[in-house]
Amino acid sequence: MKNTEIIEILDNIAVLLELKGESIFKSRAYQKAARSIEFLSEEVDKLVSEERLKEIPGVGDAIAQKLTELVSTGHLDYYEKLKAEFPPGINILMEVPGIGPRTALLLTKELGIADIDSLEKAIENGQVAELPRMGEKTAQNILRQIKAYRKKKGEQRVPVSTALTAAEILMEEMHAIAGIRHLSPAGSLRRFRDTIGDIDLIGTADNPEEAIEAFIQLPSINELQEKGPTKASVIINNGLQVDLRLLSNDAFGSALQYFTGSKQHNIELRTRAARLGLSLSEYGITDIVTGQLETYISEEAFYKRQGLEYIPPEIREGLHEIELAEQSKLPHLIELSDIKGDLHLHSDWSDGAAPLEEMIAGALEQGYEYVAVTDHSPGLGIAHGLSIDRIQQQLQLISELNRKYSDIHIFSGMEVDIRANGALDVPDEVLAKLDIVIASIHSGMNQGIDQMTKRVISAVSNPHVDILGHPTGRLLGEREAVEIDIEAVFKAALDHQTVLEINATPSRLDLKDTHIYQARQLGIKLVINTDSHHPEQFNFMRYGIGIARRGWCEARDILNTLPLAKFKASLKS
DNA sequence: GCCGTTTTCGGCCCGACTGTTTTCAGTCG
């Protein structure tokens, strides 16, 4: 059984336990186990057979037993029985914002509601408002949330790049508000998750209440959801929800930390702080004995007070970052300035939007030492893939450009298509003439897992292939990743010294964070490429860096941080 | 259900906002 299926079942159990009214901590235990498995670099199947399940943080006797049953029989009695206690679909109700387990259960018990359509009807005929602790206003709020939920369904989360751009525009507008001092994205946006549900902004102001009033008047803001003296929730023009929280100036460090999360990270941080006699909140750190509150303007000082190294936002996921921070053993995460070159670009020789020389100029502007030209192979007719003849011509042009530009080395290359049968689109003797070969899948994405895995491994095993491009083929919000045995691909990459790409194109971010984490643990070499089709797109590198940091990458894990000579030496051929 | 500088039981992060209540439950992050 795949880890993703196991994660889904554990998460479902957590929801059902909440519905059942079981201890919230029991539910949380299942969630924690699910999150741990998400970051696991091994299959749960394997851990079961080796009796190593309890090495997973958050897995104790009870969950280990359930995982064993699940993996060996494909079935979990406990889960099936739990599911049978509720009308199927009741968890759908909880997807509506404002409906939690108590309300969902109330609706089901009192009115027999287990789907959104019946809920809507029950609100309209007044039944919901009559329930205990409900009222007309609550009922109407739920109705409003249902409408928003339907409108947004399917496109609820946006790529991190979309959210980041929107947040930057909004923050620019906010600089005009008097008295706002610090301002930063927080939440999943600051942690750089690949997709974002809503934007959290955290700031400080001389007079938060006045600043909130000014904020809700800004041109970007379309609809007010709720507001109080220190916070406001709004919908901005592109449909995204923004939650703003403003505090007094001296609390910025603690507030930024608090609202950056993740939830799991904060729970672990607070539990640990309590053992030290400290209580954490957005306002600072309170000594439990004296009741004295200390405030922190910087996050660094906030962590330091707890005896911890500064933990970068991207790895605050409750994995084992706090333990490592305690021992000053956190990785030194890669930064944008570490990147020395970009190895995946397209010019107007294939489907790029700019002449080759303009792309080179763009790379120079980034300050890169080297760049690889990787137009498409012939099979990709739709992208004007290069014929063998044109490959020869381009090779000549590249050697001319190398003579012309002394500040940057231009590698010849190609993004060669992996055909449905696993063969490459260009003969080996031609590939042998190129410095860098990226192999990627662009068609036949719906093959079964076995065929797809074989196909990709066959490309990865080719001695001329240096890099596997956008390995899983996902497009955020548009197309799921192909079905592939990623661990088998990892093994092949390791065996054949093939590099895996972290594609930084905002809609791709492929490999994703957890895969990057696993690949890195296995010692697989990675590169971060923008796949630029225009000189401006070299700026996509920041997204690749963000996702690589979420995968705990240091500069040494990423080959294109190497200076030119060392990078050359690291290539296969 | 997990876990241990409170170690095999008794804890488990903390606060804002809303709407319903006369002091708080539910939800969210």
Side-chain angles (χ1 to χ4, degrees):
Chain A
M1 180 171 273
K2 292 207 297 194
N3 282 4
T4 48
E5 297 171 69
I6 295 170
I7 292 164
E8 197 186 332
I9 290 173
L10 291 175
D11 278 327
N12 285 345
I13 291 176
V15 171
L16 291 170
L17 289 173
E18 255 191 281
L19 277 170
K20 199 175 170 181
E22 286 272 5
S23 152
I24 185 66
F25 303 108
K26 194 163 164 178
S27 165
R28 190 181 285 167
Y30 281 90
Q31 282 175 347
K32 182 170 165 48
R35 299 290 78 73
S36 293
I37 292 172
E38 220 165 45
F39 276 92
L40 221 52
S41 60
E42 295 174 277
E43 289 291 319
V44 173
D45 279 30
K46 194 173 159 218
L47 294 182
V48 167
S49 57
E50 295 173 5
E51 293 184 0
R52 289 167 50 217
L53 276 178
K54 291 182 76 177
E55 289 177 15
I56 305 172
V59 174
D61 289 329
I63 295 183
Q65 208 172 11
K66 292 189 176 70
L67 290 178
T68 306
E69 181 187 336
L70 192 55
V71 162
S72 43
T73 68
H75 178 274
L76 181 57
D77 207 37
Y78 176 75
Y79 177 46
E80 297 303 326
K81 282 185 176 147
L82 203 52
K83 270 201 293 192
E85 291 182 43
F86 300 95
I90 183 177
N91 48 344
I92 298 288
L93 295 181
M94 288 172 66
E95 287 178 19
V96 178
I99 298 185
R102 311 296 302 181
T103 311
L105 198 69
L106 185 72
L107 291 167
T108 304
K109 266 193 175 163
E110 299 296 321
L111 302 174
I113 292 169
D115 66 89
I116 291 178
D117 286 344
S118 343
L119 174 57
E120 194 172 23
K121 278 186 202 123
I123 293 172
E124 279 164 356
N125 65 30
Q127 283 177 292
V128 172
E130 284 167 14
L131 292 173
R133 283 218 145 265
M134 302 290 272
E136 193 49 39
K137 225 165 173 176
T138 304
Q140 288 308 315
N141 271 341
I142 293 174
L143 195 58
R144 201 164 48 90
Q145 293 293 356
I146 289 174
K147 295 209 160 90
Y149 168 81
R150 286 202 172 123
K151 212 162 81 182
K152 283 204 301 185
K153 200 168 188 290
E155 47 172 340
Q156 265 174 322
R157 298 187 73 86
V158 300
V160 61
S161 55
T162 307
L164 191 56
T165 307
E168 284 168 354
I169 291 169
L170 188 58
M171 290 196 301
E172 187 60 39
E173 286 179 10
M174 289 175 71
H175 280 127
I177 298 174
I180 288 194
R181 297 195 185 269
H182 302 91
L183 192 57
S184 169
S188 57
L189 178 57
R190 183 156 180 258
R191 298 200 315 279
F192 225 93
R193 278 195 56 179
D194 50 16
T195 60
I196 306 295
D198 53 36
I199 296 173
D200 292 303
L201 294 180
I202 172 75
T204 67
D206 298 338
N207 183 335
E209 199 161 355
E210 276 176 20
I212 291 284
E213 288 302 327
F215 169 73
I216 62 176
Q217 302 297 331
L218 289 176
S220 282
I221 283 153
N222 190 308
E223 187 188 326
L224 177 64
Q225 298 272 80
E226 63 176 43
K227 87 176 159 83
T230 67
K231 68 173 279 188
S233 286
V234 299
I235 306 289
I236 56 174
N237 291 333
N238 69 359
L240 275 174
Q241 179 171 326
V242 176
D243 295 328
L244 171 69
R245 184 78 189 273
L246 291 175
L247 292 95
S248 64
N249 286 314
D250 53 359
F252 186 63
S254 51
L256 184 58
Q257 194 289 318
Y258 177 77
F259 289 105
T260 296
S262 66
K263 188 174 181 173
Q264 190 58 38
H265 175 84
N266 281 0
I267 288 173
E268 289 179 16
L269 203 63
R270 273 145 209 277
T271 307
R272 178 178 177 278
R275 285 202 298 270
L276 302 174
L278 303 172
S279 169
L280 311 182
S281 77
E282 56 263 56
Y283 302 108
I285 300 180
T286 308
D287 186 313
I288 293 170
V289 177
T290 65
Q292 197 73 36
L293 175 76
E294 301 157 10
T295 57
Y296 298 87
I297 289 181
S298 81
E299 275 189 326
E300 282 83 354
F302 182 81
Y303 278 108
K304 195 174 173 194
R305 171 67 181 84
Q306 300 168 57
L308 295 172
E309 208 182 347
Y310 177 72
I311 303 176
E314 294 91 338
I315 60 170
R316 297 181 195 167
E317 295 292 344
L319 200 52
H320 49 275
E321 68 276 8
I322 293 174
E323 195 186 325
L324 292 179
E326 238 167 28
Q327 308 161 7
S328 298
K329 282 184 182 164
L330 283 176
H332 185 76
L333 299 184
I334 185 170
E335 291 173 22
L336 188 56
S337 58
D338 291 323
I339 295 292
K340 300 288 196 299
D342 198 331
L343 306 165
H344 190 161
L345 70 82
H346 299 270
S347 71
D348 63 6
W349 281 66
S350 63
D351 64 344
L356 185 46
E357 199 161 352
E358 280 180 27
M359 295 302 291
I360 304 304
L364 260 172
E365 219 167 279
Q366 299 289 326
Y368 289 153
E369 291 181 29
Y370 50 90
V371 67
V373 177
T374 56
D375 277 305
H376 286 288
S377 61
L380 225 56
I382 195 171
H384 305 294
L386 269 57
S387 64
I388 309 290
D389 272 357
R390 293 182 72 224
I391 294 174
Q392 296 288 2
Q393 290 169 29
Q394 197 187 50
L395 277 172
Q396 272 212 324
L397 174 60
I398 289 173
S399 56
E400 280 166 31
L401 290 173
N402 263 323
R403 282 193 291 275
K404 183 169 169 186
Y405 293 97
S406 54
D407 289 346
I408 189 164
H409 181 77
I410 307 159
F411 289 108
S412 65
M414 167 154 283
E415 183 181 17
V416 56
D417 198 36
I418 305 171
R419 291 181 186 155
N421 63 5
L424 297 180
D425 204 21
V426 172
D428 279 3
E429 58 269 26
V430 178
L431 296 181
K433 293 181 186 169
L434 303 171
D435 298 323
I436 291 179
V437 174
I438 304 174
S440 313
I441 284 181
H442 293 104
S443 58
M445 320 281 274
N446 292 323
Q447 289 177 332
I449 182 164
D450 292 342
Q451 199 182 354
M452 182 63 81
T453 306
K454 266 189 209 155
R455 176 184 178 188
V456 169
I457 288 178
S458 146
V460 164
S461 314
N462 183 305
H464 300 293
V465 170
D466 300 284
I467 299 170
L468 177 65
H470 42 74
T472 72
R474 71 169 182 175
L475 289 177
L476 294 173
E478 287 176 50
R479 186 174 71 205
E480 289 298 311
V482 297
E483 284 197 54
I484 194 163
D485 179 351
I486 197 76
E487 307 213 347
V489 174
F490 286 165
K491 185 172 182 308
L494 209 51
D495 289 349
H496 297 276
Q497 290 297 297
T498 303
V499 178
L500 299 189
E501 179 179 74
I502 298 170
N503 190 298
T505 296
S507 56
R508 290 193 183 272
L509 301 181
D510 179 14
L511 297 172
K512 66 175 176 180
D513 51 7
T514 50
H515 284 157
I516 295 169
Y517 182 86
Q518 293 172 18
R520 177 184 172 274
Q521 278 204 319
L522 295 168
I524 292 169
K525 288 299 175 192
L526 300 159
V527 289
I528 309 177
N529 292 331
T530 61
D531 200 349
S532 288
H533 287 65
H534 186 277
E536 298 244 317
Q537 296 183 347
F538 285 119
N539 293 317
F540 290 165
M541 190 58 81
R542 66 188 295 208
Y543 305 119
I545 293 289
I547 215 77
R549 287 169 63 89
R550 281 187 62 80
W552 292 58
C553 283
E554 305 187 272
R556 63 177 176 191
D557 300 313
I558 306 293
L559 283 184
N560 52 330
T561 61
L562 293 173
L564 178 61
K566 283 191 176 168
F567 176 74
K568 265 186 177 168
S570 76
L571 289 175
K572 251 189 197 179
S573 37

